[in-house]
PDB file of all heavy atoms in Angstrom:
ATOM      1  N   VAL A 592      19.212 129.311 -59.935  1.00 98.00           N
ATOM      2  CA  VAL A 592      18.613 129.129 -61.257  1.00 98.00           C
ATOM      3  C   VAL A 592      18.399 130.491 -61.895  1.00 98.00           C
ATOM      4  O   VAL A 592      18.389 131.514 -61.203  1.00 98.00           O
ATOM      5  CB  VAL A 592      17.267 128.376 -61.203  1.00 98.00           C
ATOM      6  CG1 VAL A 592      17.461 126.962 -60.690  1.00 98.00           C
ATOM      7  CG2 VAL A 592      16.250 129.123 -60.362  1.00 98.00           C
ATOM      8  N   GLN A 593      18.194 130.484 -63.200  1.00 98.00           N
ATOM      9  CA  GLN A 593      17.889 131.718 -63.908  1.00 98.00           C
ATOM     10  C   GLN A 593      16.394 131.989 -63.884  1.00 98.00           C
ATOM     11  O   GLN A 593      15.587 131.076 -63.616  1.00 98.00           O
ATOM     12  CB  GLN A 593      18.378 131.617 -65.346  1.00 98.00           C
ATOM     13  CG  GLN A 593      19.898 131.563 -65.476  1.00 98.00           C
ATOM     14  CD  GLN A 593      20.350 131.583 -66.922  1.00 98.00           C
ATOM     15  OE1 GLN A 593      19.626 131.147 -67.812  1.00 98.00           O
ATOM     16  NE2 GLN A 593      21.555 132.087 -67.156  1.00 98.00           N
ATOM     17  N   THR A 594      16.031 133.224 -64.171  1.00 98.00           N
ATOM     18  CA  THR A 594      14.616 133.577 -64.276  1.00 98.00           C
ATOM     19  C   THR A 594      13.924 132.640 -65.263  1.00 98.00           C
ATOM     20  O   THR A 594      14.443 132.366 -66.344  1.00 98.00           O
ATOM     21  CB  THR A 594      14.468 135.028 -64.756  1.00 98.00           C
ATOM     22  OG1 THR A 594      15.045 135.892 -63.777  1.00 98.00           O
ATOM     23  CG2 THR A 594      13.015 135.391 -64.949  1.00 98.00           C
ATOM     24  N   GLY A 595      12.749 132.153 -64.837  1.00 98.00           N
ATOM     25  CA  GLY A 595      12.011 131.202 -65.659  1.00 98.00           C
ATOM     26  C   GLY A 595      12.366 129.761 -65.380  1.00 98.00           C
ATOM     27  O   GLY A 595      11.729 128.851 -65.930  1.00 98.00           O
ATOM     28  N   GLY A 596      13.350 129.528 -64.538  1.00 98.00           N
ATOM     29  CA  GLY A 596      13.809 128.175 -64.237  1.00 98.00           C
ATOM     30  C   GLY A 596      12.889 127.424 -63.287  1.00 98.00           C
ATOM     31  O   GLY A 596      11.858 127.930 -62.833  1.00 98.00           O
ATOM     32  N   VAL A 597      13.322 126.199 -63.002  1.00 98.00           N
ATOM     33  CA  VAL A 597      12.520 125.265 -62.209  1.00 98.00           C
ATOM     34  C   VAL A 597      13.378 124.680 -61.084  1.00 98.00           C
ATOM     35  O   VAL A 597      14.562 124.379 -61.297  1.00 98.00           O
ATOM     36  CB  VAL A 597      12.009 124.111 -63.106  1.00 98.00           C
ATOM     37  CG1 VAL A 597      11.328 123.038 -62.275  1.00 98.00           C
ATOM     38  CG2 VAL A 597      11.084 124.650 -64.188  1.00 98.00           C
ATOM     39  N   LEU A 598      12.771 124.522 -59.895  1.00 98.00           N
ATOM     40  CA  LEU A 598      13.392 123.811 -58.791  1.00 98.00           C
ATOM     41  C   LEU A 598      12.320 123.017 -58.067  1.00 98.00           C
ATOM     42  O   LEU A 598      11.152 123.416 -58.058  1.00 98.00           O
ATOM     43  CB  LEU A 598      14.044 124.781 -57.787  1.00 98.00           C
ATOM     44  CG  LEU A 598      15.398 125.397 -58.116  1.00 98.00           C
ATOM     45  CD1 LEU A 598      15.781 126.407 -57.040  1.00 98.00           C
ATOM     46  CD2 LEU A 598      16.471 124.327 -58.241  1.00 98.00           C
ATOM     47  N   ARG A 599      12.724 121.912 -57.443  1.00 98.00           N
ATOM     48  CA  ARG A 599      11.821 121.168 -56.575  1.00 98.00           C
ATOM     49  C   ARG A 599      12.467 121.017 -55.213  1.00 98.00           C
ATOM     50  O   ARG A 599      13.540 120.422 -55.093  1.00 98.00           O
ATOM     51  CB  ARG A 599      11.472 119.789 -57.145  1.00 98.00           C
ATOM     52  CG  ARG A 599      10.361 119.117 -56.333  1.00 98.00           C
ATOM     53  CD  ARG A 599       9.926 117.797 -56.903  1.00 98.00           C
ATOM     54  NE  ARG A 599      10.817 116.698 -56.533  1.00 98.00           N
ATOM     55  CZ  ARG A 599      10.457 115.433 -56.471  1.00 98.00           C
ATOM     56  NH1 ARG A 599       9.213 115.094 -56.754  1.00 98.00           N
ATOM     57  NH2 ARG A 599      11.329 114.493 -56.163  1.00 98.00           N
ATOM     58  N   LEU A 600      11.795 121.552 -54.205  1.00 98.00           N
ATOM     59  CA  LEU A 600      12.255 121.420 -52.830  1.00 98.00           C
ATOM     60  C   LEU A 600      11.614 120.197 -52.193  1.00 98.00           C
ATOM     61  O   LEU A 600      10.453 119.884 -52.470  1.00 98.00           O
ATOM     62  CB  LEU A 600      11.912 122.664 -52.019  1.00 98.00           C
ATOM     63  CG  LEU A 600      12.391 124.002 -52.573  1.00 98.00           C
ATOM     64  CD1 LEU A 600      12.030 125.125 -51.604  1.00 98.00           C
ATOM     65  CD2 LEU A 600      13.863 123.990 -52.873  1.00 98.00           C
ATOM     66  N   SER A 601      12.371 119.538 -51.322  1.00 98.00           N
ATOM     67  CA  SER A 601      11.864 118.395 -50.577  1.00 98.00           C
ATOM     68  C   SER A 601      12.018 118.659 -49.084  1.00 98.00           C
ATOM     69  O   SER A 601      12.954 119.324 -48.655  1.00 98.00           O
ATOM     70  CB  SER A 601      12.643 117.130 -50.942  1.00 98.00           C
ATOM     71  OG  SER A 601      12.521 116.828 -52.302  1.00 98.00           O
ATOM     72  N   CYS A 602      11.088 118.114 -48.320  1.00 97.00           N
ATOM     73  CA  CYS A 602      11.136 118.209 -46.865  1.00 97.00           C
ATOM     74  C   CYS A 602      10.856 116.823 -46.299  1.00 97.00           C
ATOM     75  O   CYS A 602       9.706 116.353 -46.351  1.00 97.00           O
ATOM     76  CB  CYS A 602      10.112 119.214 -46.362  1.00 97.00           C
ATOM     77  SG  CYS A 602       9.921 119.252 -44.562  1.00 97.00           S
ATOM     78  N   ALA A 603      11.880 116.175 -45.805  1.00 96.00           N
ATOM     79  CA  ALA A 603      11.744 114.832 -45.243  1.00 96.00           C
ATOM     80  C   ALA A 603      11.435 114.942 -43.758  1.00 96.00           C
ATOM     81  O   ALA A 603      12.189 115.567 -43.007  1.00 96.00           O
ATOM     82  CB  ALA A 603      13.034 114.053 -45.466  1.00 96.00           C
ATOM     83  N   ALA A 604      10.326 114.338 -43.353  1.00 95.00           N
ATOM     84  CA  ALA A 604       9.862 114.416 -41.971  1.00 95.00           C
ATOM     85  C   ALA A 604      10.067 113.085 -41.253  1.00 95.00           C
ATOM     86  O   ALA A 604       9.895 112.016 -41.853  1.00 95.00           O
ATOM     87  CB  ALA A 604       8.392 114.798 -41.929  1.00 95.00           C
ATOM     88  N   SER A 605      10.412 113.142 -39.979  1.00 92.00           N
ATOM     89  CA  SER A 605      10.589 111.925 -39.188  1.00 92.00           C
ATOM     90  C   SER A 605      10.260 112.221 -37.736  1.00 92.00           C
ATOM     91  O   SER A 605      10.170 113.381 -37.320  1.00 92.00           O
ATOM     92  CB  SER A 605      12.030 111.427 -39.308  1.00 92.00           C
ATOM     93  OG  SER A 605      12.935 112.379 -38.800  1.00 92.00           O
ATOM     94  N   GLY A 606      10.040 111.165 -36.975  1.00 90.00           N
ATOM     95  CA  GLY A 606       9.857 111.318 -35.542  1.00 90.00           C
ATOM     96  C   GLY A 606       8.469 111.054 -35.018  1.00 90.00           C
ATOM     97  O   GLY A 606       8.274 110.970 -33.806  1.00 90.00           O
ATOM     98  N   ARG A 607       7.477 110.951 -35.917  1.00 83.00           N
ATOM     99  CA  ARG A 607       6.126 110.656 -35.458  1.00 83.00           C
ATOM    100  C   ARG A 607       5.257 110.325 -36.663  1.00 83.00           C
ATOM    101  O   ARG A 607       5.711 110.396 -37.803  1.00 83.00           O
ATOM    102  CB  ARG A 607       5.547 111.822 -34.681  1.00 83.00           C
ATOM    103  CG  ARG A 607       5.296 113.073 -35.475  1.00 83.00           C
ATOM    104  CD  ARG A 607       4.333 113.993 -34.770  1.00 83.00           C
ATOM    105  NE  ARG A 607       3.078 113.344 -34.567  1.00 83.00           N
ATOM    106  CZ  ARG A 607       2.533 113.182 -33.357  1.00 83.00           C
ATOM    107  NH1 ARG A 607       3.130 113.628 -32.273  1.00 83.00           N
ATOM    108  NH2 ARG A 607       1.368 112.592 -33.247  1.00 83.00           N
ATOM    109  N   THR A 608       3.992 110.027 -36.389  1.00 79.00           N
ATOM    110  CA  THR A 608       2.999 109.835 -37.454  1.00 79.00           C
ATOM    111  C   THR A 608       2.373 111.190 -37.762  1.00 79.00           C
ATOM    112  O   THR A 608       1.913 111.872 -36.862  1.00 79.00           O
ATOM    113  CB  THR A 608       1.911 108.856 -37.000  1.00 79.00           C
ATOM    114  OG1 THR A 608       2.521 107.609 -36.658  1.00 79.00           O
ATOM    115  CG2 THR A 608       0.906 108.644 -38.110  1.00 79.00           C
ATOM    116  N   PHE A 609       2.347 111.552 -39.042  1.00 82.00           N
ATOM    117  CA  PHE A 609       1.952 112.905 -39.422  1.00 82.00           C
ATOM    118  C   PHE A 609       0.545 113.003 -39.996  1.00 82.00           C
ATOM    119  O   PHE A 609       0.157 114.027 -40.550  1.00 82.00           O
ATOM    120  CB  PHE A 609       2.959 113.476 -40.433  1.00 82.00           C
ATOM    121  CG  PHE A 609       4.305 113.732 -39.834  1.00 82.00           C
ATOM    122  CD1 PHE A 609       5.300 112.772 -39.895  1.00 82.00           C
ATOM    123  CD2 PHE A 609       4.574 114.917 -39.190  1.00 82.00           C
ATOM    124  CE1 PHE A 609       6.544 113.002 -39.341  1.00 82.00           C
ATOM    125  CE2 PHE A 609       5.819 115.165 -38.630  1.00 82.00           C
ATOM    126  CZ  PHE A 609       6.807 114.199 -38.707  1.00 82.00           C
ATOM    127  N   GLY A 610      -0.231 111.956 -39.852  1.00 80.00           N
ATOM    128  CA  GLY A 610      -1.539 111.928 -40.496  1.00 80.00           C
ATOM    129  C   GLY A 610      -2.431 113.113 -40.192  1.00 80.00           C
ATOM    130  O   GLY A 610      -3.174 113.576 -41.045  1.00 80.00           O
ATOM    131  N   ALA A 611      -2.375 113.654 -38.976  1.00 83.00           N
ATOM    132  CA  ALA A 611      -3.259 114.765 -38.597  1.00 83.00           C
ATOM    133  C   ALA A 611      -2.575 116.114 -38.733  1.00 83.00           C
ATOM    134  O   ALA A 611      -3.104 117.123 -38.284  1.00 83.00           O
ATOM    135  CB  ALA A 611      -3.728 114.565 -37.161  1.00 83.00           C
ATOM    136  N   TYR A 612      -1.441 116.142 -39.362  1.00 91.00           N
ATOM    137  CA  TYR A 612      -0.639 117.355 -39.421  1.00 91.00           C
ATOM    138  C   TYR A 612      -0.898 118.154 -40.700  1.00 91.00           C
ATOM    139  O   TYR A 612      -1.353 117.634 -41.720  1.00 91.00           O
ATOM    140  CB  TYR A 612       0.847 117.007 -39.353  1.00 91.00           C
ATOM    141  CG  TYR A 612       1.371 116.903 -37.939  1.00 91.00           C
ATOM    142  CD1 TYR A 612       0.782 116.033 -37.029  1.00 91.00           C
ATOM    143  CD2 TYR A 612       2.457 117.665 -37.524  1.00 91.00           C
ATOM    144  CE1 TYR A 612       1.257 115.944 -35.740  1.00 91.00           C
ATOM    145  CE2 TYR A 612       2.948 117.575 -36.236  1.00 91.00           C
ATOM    146  CZ  TYR A 612       2.339 116.712 -35.353  1.00 91.00           C
ATOM    147  OH  TYR A 612       2.808 116.616 -34.077  1.00 91.00           O
ATOM    148  N   VAL A 613      -0.560 119.423 -40.582  1.00 96.00           N
ATOM    149  CA  VAL A 613      -0.472 120.326 -41.729  1.00 96.00           C
ATOM    150  C   VAL A 613       1.010 120.616 -41.962  1.00 96.00           C
ATOM    151  O   VAL A 613       1.762 120.825 -41.009  1.00 96.00           O
ATOM    152  CB  VAL A 613      -1.220 121.645 -41.460  1.00 96.00           C
ATOM    153  CG1 VAL A 613      -0.890 122.684 -42.527  1.00 96.00           C
ATOM    154  CG2 VAL A 613      -2.721 121.398 -41.391  1.00 96.00           C
ATOM    155  N   ALA A 614       1.413 120.620 -43.223  1.00 96.00           N
ATOM    156  CA  ALA A 614       2.779 121.001 -43.590  1.00 96.00           C
ATOM    157  C   ALA A 614       2.725 122.257 -44.447  1.00 96.00           C
ATOM    158  O   ALA A 614       1.762 122.454 -45.204  1.00 96.00           O
ATOM    159  CB  ALA A 614       3.463 119.883 -44.344  1.00 96.00           C
ATOM    160  N   ALA A 615       3.737 123.076 -44.331  1.00 98.00           N
ATOM    161  CA  ALA A 615       3.749 124.332 -45.077  1.00 98.00           C
ATOM    162  C   ALA A 615       5.167 124.705 -45.472  1.00 98.00           C
ATOM    163  O   ALA A 615       6.145 124.213 -44.896  1.00 98.00           O
ATOM    164  CB  ALA A 615       3.133 125.452 -44.239  1.00 98.00           C
ATOM    165  N   TRP A 616       5.247 125.553 -46.471  1.00 98.00           N
ATOM    166  CA  TRP A 616       6.507 126.177 -46.865  1.00 98.00           C
ATOM    167  C   TRP A 616       6.398 127.681 -46.611  1.00 98.00           C
ATOM    168  O   TRP A 616       5.391 128.309 -46.965  1.00 98.00           O
ATOM    169  CB  TRP A 616       6.823 125.928 -48.331  1.00 98.00           C
ATOM    170  CG  TRP A 616       7.205 124.522 -48.636  1.00 98.00           C
ATOM    171  CD1 TRP A 616       6.381 123.523 -49.067  1.00 98.00           C
ATOM    172  CD2 TRP A 616       8.517 123.953 -48.546  1.00 98.00           C
ATOM    173  NE1 TRP A 616       7.095 122.368 -49.239  1.00 98.00           N
ATOM    174  CE2 TRP A 616       8.409 122.606 -48.926  1.00 98.00           C
ATOM    175  CE3 TRP A 616       9.771 124.452 -48.182  1.00 98.00           C
ATOM    176  CZ2 TRP A 616       9.509 121.736 -48.954  1.00 98.00           C
ATOM    177  CZ3 TRP A 616      10.858 123.599 -48.215  1.00 98.00           C
ATOM    178  CH2 TRP A 616      10.724 122.262 -48.591  1.00 98.00           C
ATOM    179  N   PHE A 617       7.440 128.205 -45.988  1.00 98.00           N
ATOM    180  CA  PHE A 617       7.591 129.642 -45.801  1.00 98.00           C
ATOM    181  C   PHE A 617       8.902 130.059 -46.458  1.00 98.00           C
ATOM    182  O   PHE A 617       9.753 129.218 -46.769  1.00 98.00           O
ATOM    183  CB  PHE A 617       7.643 129.992 -44.304  1.00 98.00           C
ATOM    184  CG  PHE A 617       6.329 129.872 -43.608  1.00 98.00           C
ATOM    185  CD1 PHE A 617       5.824 128.639 -43.216  1.00 98.00           C
ATOM    186  CD2 PHE A 617       5.572 130.997 -43.314  1.00 98.00           C
ATOM    187  CE1 PHE A 617       4.603 128.523 -42.564  1.00 98.00           C
ATOM    188  CE2 PHE A 617       4.357 130.905 -42.658  1.00 98.00           C
ATOM    189  CZ  PHE A 617       3.867 129.665 -42.280  1.00 98.00           C
ATOM    190  N   ARG A 618       9.080 131.352 -46.638  1.00 98.00           N
ATOM    191  CA  ARG A 618      10.352 131.843 -47.158  1.00 98.00           C
ATOM    192  C   ARG A 618      10.708 133.163 -46.488  1.00 98.00           C
ATOM    193  O   ARG A 618       9.821 133.890 -46.021  1.00 98.00           O
ATOM    194  CB  ARG A 618      10.309 132.009 -48.675  1.00 98.00           C
ATOM    195  CG  ARG A 618       9.318 133.052 -49.181  1.00 98.00           C
ATOM    196  CD  ARG A 618       9.236 132.983 -50.704  1.00 98.00           C
ATOM    197  NE  ARG A 618       8.304 133.974 -51.228  1.00 98.00           N
ATOM    198  CZ  ARG A 618       7.953 134.048 -52.510  1.00 98.00           C
ATOM    199  NH1 ARG A 618       8.462 133.170 -53.395  1.00 98.00           N
ATOM    200  NH2 ARG A 618       7.126 134.970 -52.913  1.00 98.00           N
ATOM    201  N   GLN A 619      12.006 133.427 -46.456  1.00 98.00           N
ATOM    202  CA  GLN A 619      12.478 134.656 -45.845  1.00 98.00           C
ATOM    203  C   GLN A 619      13.628 135.220 -46.659  1.00 98.00           C
ATOM    204  O   GLN A 619      14.679 134.580 -46.799  1.00 98.00           O
ATOM    205  CB  GLN A 619      12.917 134.416 -44.396  1.00 98.00           C
ATOM    206  CG  GLN A 619      13.225 135.682 -43.630  1.00 98.00           C
ATOM    207  CD  GLN A 619      13.321 135.442 -42.136  1.00 98.00           C
ATOM    208  OE1 GLN A 619      13.477 134.307 -41.675  1.00 98.00           O
ATOM    209  NE2 GLN A 619      13.191 136.509 -41.361  1.00 98.00           N
ATOM    210  N   ALA A 620      13.405 136.410 -47.199  1.00 97.00           N
ATOM    211  CA  ALA A 620      14.442 137.119 -47.944  1.00 97.00           C
ATOM    212  C   ALA A 620      15.229 138.006 -46.978  1.00 97.00           C
ATOM    213  O   ALA A 620      14.715 138.376 -45.913  1.00 97.00           O
ATOM    214  CB  ALA A 620      13.813 137.956 -49.049  1.00 97.00           C
ATOM    215  N   PRO A 621      16.457 138.377 -47.337  1.00 93.00           N
ATOM    216  CA  PRO A 621      17.255 139.225 -46.452  1.00 93.00           C
ATOM    217  C   PRO A 621      16.543 140.524 -46.098  1.00 93.00           C
ATOM    218  O   PRO A 621      16.012 141.214 -46.970  1.00 93.00           O
ATOM    219  CB  PRO A 621      18.510 139.500 -47.286  1.00 93.00           C
ATOM    220  CG  PRO A 621      18.617 138.348 -48.204  1.00 93.00           C
ATOM    221  CD  PRO A 621      17.210 137.959 -48.530  1.00 93.00           C
ATOM    222  N   GLY A 622      16.487 140.834 -44.808  1.00 95.00           N
ATOM    223  CA  GLY A 622      15.868 142.067 -44.351  1.00 95.00           C
ATOM    224  C   GLY A 622      14.355 142.057 -44.317  1.00 95.00           C
ATOM    225  O   GLY A 622      13.731 143.080 -44.020  1.00 95.00           O
ATOM    226  N   LYS A 623      13.758 140.898 -44.608  1.00 97.00           N
ATOM    227  CA  LYS A 623      12.288 140.811 -44.637  1.00 97.00           C
ATOM    228  C   LYS A 623      11.810 139.783 -43.627  1.00 97.00           C
ATOM    229  O   LYS A 623      12.560 138.923 -43.184  1.00 97.00           O
ATOM    230  CB  LYS A 623      11.800 140.440 -46.031  1.00 97.00           C
ATOM    231  CG  LYS A 623      12.080 141.512 -47.081  1.00 97.00           C
ATOM    232  CD  LYS A 623      11.383 141.186 -48.384  1.00 97.00           C
ATOM    233  CE  LYS A 623      11.575 142.294 -49.405  1.00 97.00           C
ATOM    234  NZ  LYS A 623      10.864 141.992 -50.685  1.00 97.00           N
ATOM    235  N   GLU A 624      10.531 139.866 -43.300  1.00 97.00           N
ATOM    236  CA  GLU A 624       9.935 138.895 -42.398  1.00 97.00           C
ATOM    237  C   GLU A 624       9.673 137.585 -43.132  1.00 97.00           C
ATOM    238  O   GLU A 624       9.541 137.547 -44.359  1.00 97.00           O
ATOM    239  CB  GLU A 624       8.626 139.446 -41.823  1.00 97.00           C
ATOM    240  CG  GLU A 624       8.828 140.641 -40.906  1.00 97.00           C
ATOM    241  CD  GLU A 624       7.534 141.058 -40.225  1.00 97.00           C
ATOM    242  OE1 GLU A 624       6.472 140.537 -40.604  1.00 97.00           O
ATOM    243  OE2 GLU A 624       7.607 141.908 -39.322  1.00 97.00           O
TER     244      GLU A 624
END
């Protein structure tokens, strides 16, 4: 996208009941942690 643009990321979870869970998004750029 261009600067100022919009995106929506989705994360589909499966395999258990997630009621007691925390979900998070992380990111990693090249050469960075």
Side-chain angles (χ1 to χ4, degrees):
V592 296
Q593 293 185 333
T594 297
V597 173
L598 282 175
R599 189 177 81 155
L600 306 183
S601 299
C602 172
S605 62
R607 66 161 300 122
T608 301
F609 292 93
Y612 273 56
V613 168
W616 289 94
F617 287 79
R618 64 188 180 186
Q619 189 166 18
K623 294 189 176 181
E624 293 187 351

